[in-house]
Amino acid sequence: MDPRLAQEIDRTLAERGRYFTPRWFARLFRGRLSLADSFWTGMFGPLLVVVPAMVLLAMLSKGVDPAAGLPVFSALLVVVGLYWAAVTRAVVMAAWRSPQAGGWRWTAVAVALLLTLAALWGGLRGVL
């Protein structure tokens, strides 16, 4: 294998290994990541694990009490909304630092804000 290709592969694997670690989340919440990492990876990456876990917990709660599924799922949706609120703050911070992104940076802020509000609203409606 070409040594340059091997170095690039090693660098890529090392970079991927840093995602979703406690240090990565700390950098995310402090607004130290790029706009793309804050928005795309921060908003949607954890959902690959969180959404199946939410559905599983809601289904298991229905086994205990048939009426508990919706309130449990709604409460978990509020937790996702609170997480997204923290990530939205990071997206706003990254957008201020990214003038090269043009209008797309404010689109990311608007979408993050709308997703946060939708999760909080939907979750709170189901809980209350």
Side-chain angles (χ1 to χ4, degrees):
M1 179 183 296
D2 181 21
R4 290 179 292 168
L5 178 60
Q7 288 175 344
E8 183 66 28
I9 290 171
D10 290 340
R11 190 172 27 252
T12 301
L13 291 175
E15 182 179 324
R16 286 183 186 170
R18 289 185 217 127
Y19 282 105
F20 306 116
T21 61
R23 184 170 184 245
W24 182 87
F25 279 109
R27 291 183 65 219
L28 170 68
F29 294 137
R30 286 192 317 256
R32 302 276 194 258
L33 298 179
S34 69
L35 179 59
D37 278 347
S38 296
F39 179 75
W40 290 109
T41 312
M43 291 289 286
F44 303 111
L47 294 184
L48 295 171
V49 173
V50 170
V51 170
M54 288 172 62
V55 170
L56 180 65
L57 287 171
M59 287 173 49
L60 290 174
S61 69
K62 284 182 72 93
V64 174
D65 178 10
L70 182 61
V72 168
F73 190 82
S74 297
L76 294 170
L77 190 57
V78 170
V79 173
V80 169
L82 294 173
Y83 168 78
W84 273 352
V87 175
T88 298
R89 179 182 170 273
V91 169
V92 169
M93 293 168 63
W96 280 112
R97 290 192 325 267
S98 305
Q100 72 277 9
W104 287 110
R105 63 186 173 155
W106 304 119
T107 303
V109 169
V111 169
L113 183 61
L114 289 173
L115 286 171
T116 300
L117 293 174
L120 289 172
W121 175 256
L124 289 173
R125 282 189 61 204
V127 171
L128 302 177

